[in-house]
């Protein structure tokens, strides 16, 4: 993708004109979300150093430990733990930059405060069908991640203003891109490799990033993965589908922490004839749904139709309310059957 110079100019002007800036991410923040936030935070702090800008990073709920190595991640404010501080940051902001989500509801408890705010709003995203809530929308779908969108945006600004992009920014955006592509497996475009190659040609420590993201499981998380594959994954051959149900009891049995099931939904797709995979995780008051496809089936449509959610064609998510966890798998099979044979 490319970002044209008029968009880059407009973005630069908007950021220049705001002295109080909130950068906002989505519910269950993933690597792309945290990468975008810390990358944009580091960029603004570097470019406007000494200008007295107040920048805050806000997310609705906690993010996994393995993302805490990202530069500045320790200063991210979490709405669920400190609603007052987050509301104050939103209400004092003159600019709100929303990253890696396409509708305000994905910012959960923060959504109504952002909606009410008179601040200028910028959206930087890569999901289809973005809601039209921002003054400046930088949203493309033929791109790996919101971190990649941010990379090309900041490159366009750099070309225009002759500024540099620091290693902290690169570390964050590279991590966001790498995690959202599942380590260069999904949604990889020529521009994605170009971004990777440009960052590889810098002092960024890719081995460290790789180790933090790929090889930092706790023993319990690794054993939970074993349990899931052996006892919780069920295959429905006629539908070329598989599902995994992660109930509360199993979570507790393996001392589950936020993010421990990250990537589990991809595992069944390693089986040759499985084309659709679903993970149902029992959560507080709802079942979290993760859907993946490696073929032509659009899990974005499946999610919108049956799971109160959305996402991308091959990676989507949603929620089930008022359903006992024991019924999730049956509901999945029935929904998928109707979806495939309308
Ligand atoms: P994950 O399965 O990793 O939680 O989410 C996969 C994709 O679906 C992500 O791109 C995410 O933005 C999207 N997604 C996850 N949960 C929801 C949801 O509740 N609503 C919508 N609209 N999208 C979701
Ligand atoms: Mn993303």
């Amino acid at each position: 993708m490319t970002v044209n110079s008029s968009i880059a100019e407009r973005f630069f002007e908007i950021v220049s004109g705001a002295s109080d800036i909130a950068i906002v991410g989505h519910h269950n923040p993933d690597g792309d979300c945290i990468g975008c936030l810390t990358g944009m935070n580091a960029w603004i702090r570097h470019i406007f150093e000494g200008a007295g800008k107040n920048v805050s990073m806000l997310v609705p709920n906690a993010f996994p430990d393995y993302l805490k190595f990202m530069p500045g991640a320790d200063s991210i404010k979490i709405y669920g733990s400190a609603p007052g501080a987050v509301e104050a940051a939103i209400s004092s902001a003159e600019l709100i930059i929303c990253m890696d989500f396409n509708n305000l509801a994905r910012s959960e408890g923060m959504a109504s405060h952002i909606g009410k705010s008179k601040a200028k709003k910028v959206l930087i995203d890569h999901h289809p069908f973005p809601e039209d809530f921002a003054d400046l929308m930088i949203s493309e779908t033929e791109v790996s991640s919101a971190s990649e969108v941010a990379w090309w945006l900041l490159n366009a600004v750099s070309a225009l203003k002759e500024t540099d992009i620091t290693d902290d920014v690169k570390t964050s955006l590279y991590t966001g891109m790498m995690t959202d592509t599942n380590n260069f497996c999904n949604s990889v475009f020529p521009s994605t490799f170009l971004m990777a190659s440009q960052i590889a040609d810098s002092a960024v420590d890719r081995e460290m990033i790789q180790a933090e993201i790929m090889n930092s499981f706790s023993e319990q998380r690794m054993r939970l993965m074993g349990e899931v594959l052996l006892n919780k994954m069920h295959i429905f051959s006629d539908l070329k589908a598989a599902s995994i149900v992660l109930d509360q009891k199993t979570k507790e049995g393996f001392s589950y922490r936020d993010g421990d099931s990250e990537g589990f939904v991809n595992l069944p797709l390693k089986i040759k004839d499985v084309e659709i995979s679903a993970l149902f995780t029992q959560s507080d008051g709802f079942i979290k749904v993760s859907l993946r496809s490696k073929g032509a089936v659009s899990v974005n449509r499946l999610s919108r139709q049956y799971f109160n959610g959305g996402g991308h064609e091959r990676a989507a998510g949603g929620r089930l309310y008022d359903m006992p966890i024991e019924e999730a798998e049956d509901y999945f099979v029935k929904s998928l059957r109707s979806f495939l044979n309308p």
Side-chain angles (χ1 to χ4, degrees):
M1 74 168 280
T2 48
V3 173
N4 72 41
S5 56
S6 64
I7 301 250
E9 181 70 53
R10 180 103 198 279
F11 175 75
F12 188 81
E13 271 170 24
I14 291 176
V15 177
S16 303
S19 56
D20 195 310
I21 302 172
I23 313 171
V24 175
H26 61 75
H27 190 251
N28 288 340
D30 57 5
D32 191 23
C33 173
I34 300 300
C36 280
L37 264 55
T38 56
M40 185 56 73
N41 173 65
W43 184 79
I44 296 173
R45 283 173 192 276
H46 173 67
I47 299 298
F48 298 96
E49 199 176 4
K53 284 198 196 301
N54 182 35
V55 187
S56 51
M57 294 177 276
L58 314 175
V59 292
N61 62 337
F63 57 93
D65 288 344
Y66 63 82
L67 298 173
K68 292 193 173 148
F69 78 93
M70 292 221 238
D74 52 352
S75 58
I76 294 176
K77 294 189 172 78
I78 299 167
Y79 183 76
S81 332
V86 170
E87 283 168 28
I90 295 171
S91 71
S92 66
E94 297 158 10
L95 167 63
I96 298 176
I97 305 177
C98 297
M99 303 188 80
D100 196 30
F101 62 89
N102 59 352
N103 61 61
L104 265 186
R106 297 270 296 134
S107 67
E108 291 276 314
M110 298 190 284
S112 61
H113 302 283
I114 297 172
K116 273 188 277 179
S117 158
K118 298 267 187 298
K120 272 220 157 32
K121 291 170 193 119
V122 172
L123 174 72
I124 297 174
D125 185 42
H126 68 129
H127 292 92
F129 316 120
E131 185 187 0
D132 186 10
F133 67 87
D135 302 279
L136 177 61
M137 311 257 292
I138 305 169
S139 171
E140 291 232 7
T141 53
E142 296 290 292
V143 61
S144 65
S145 53
S147 293
E148 192 189 323
V149 178
W151 173 253
W152 297 119
L153 169 66
L154 299 186
N155 269 275
V157 173
S158 300
L160 215 58
K161 303 292 169 189
E162 296 184 0
T163 50
D164 60 335
I165 299 181
T166 62
D167 287 346
D168 276 357
V169 177
K170 291 175 184 171
T171 297
S172 292
L173 299 183
Y174 183 87
T175 308
M177 174 271 282
M178 187 192 120
T179 53
D180 240 29
T181 57
N182 186 20
N183 210 13
F184 298 91
C185 283
N186 318 320
S187 302
V188 180
F189 295 84
S191 62
T192 315
F193 286 120
L194 189 58
M195 169 185 180
S197 144
Q198 290 173 352
I199 292 180
D201 193 23
S202 73
V204 165
D205 190 346
R206 283 176 295 124
E207 258 185 51
M208 177 276 288
I209 297 173
Q210 194 78 14
E212 293 284 353
I213 297 292
M214 309 297 291
N215 304 330
S216 65
F217 276 40
S218 65
E219 180 185 338
Q220 291 286 59
R221 182 180 177 196
M222 194 71 191
R223 293 196 187 281
L224 175 63
M225 186 188 274
E227 165 69 7
V228 154
L229 289 179
L230 190 62
N231 296 318
K232 305 289 176 188
M233 177 178 71
H234 296 142
I235 313 272
F236 307 97
S237 307
D238 60 322
L239 298 169
K240 297 193 169 184
S243 81
I244 295 169
V245 175
L246 193 49
D247 57 84
Q248 195 56 33
K249 196 159 159 262
T250 307
K251 285 165 80 176
E252 281 163 15
F254 288 83
S255 313
Y256 184 91
R257 292 174 60 84
D258 282 329
D260 274 0
S261 58
E262 191 67 39
F264 285 9
V265 67
N266 296 311
L267 295 172
L269 297 181
K270 290 185 181 290
I271 300 168
K272 193 168 195 300
D273 290 326
V274 170
E275 297 198 347
I276 302 155
S277 168
L279 171 68
F280 299 92
T281 310
Q282 191 171 7
S283 306
D284 273 347
F286 62 90
I287 298 169
K288 177 173 166 27
V289 183
S290 272
L291 299 165
R292 298 291 184 273
S293 160
K294 71 179 185 200
V297 175
S298 163
V299 286
N300 171 36
R301 280 206 300 126
L302 179 67
S303 186
R304 284 190 288 135
Q305 211 164 322
Y306 292 99
F307 298 99
N308 308 299
H312 308 279
E313 291 297 278
R314 290 182 163 193
R319 288 178 181 193
L320 290 170
Y321 299 97
D322 304 320
M323 184 182 292
I325 188 74
E326 299 75 25
E327 292 174 19
E329 189 169 85
D330 198 37
Y331 177 79
F332 168 64
V333 171
K334 286 189 175 133
S335 311
L336 184 59
R337 191 159 281 135
S338 326
F339 184 76
L340 297 175
N341 308 296

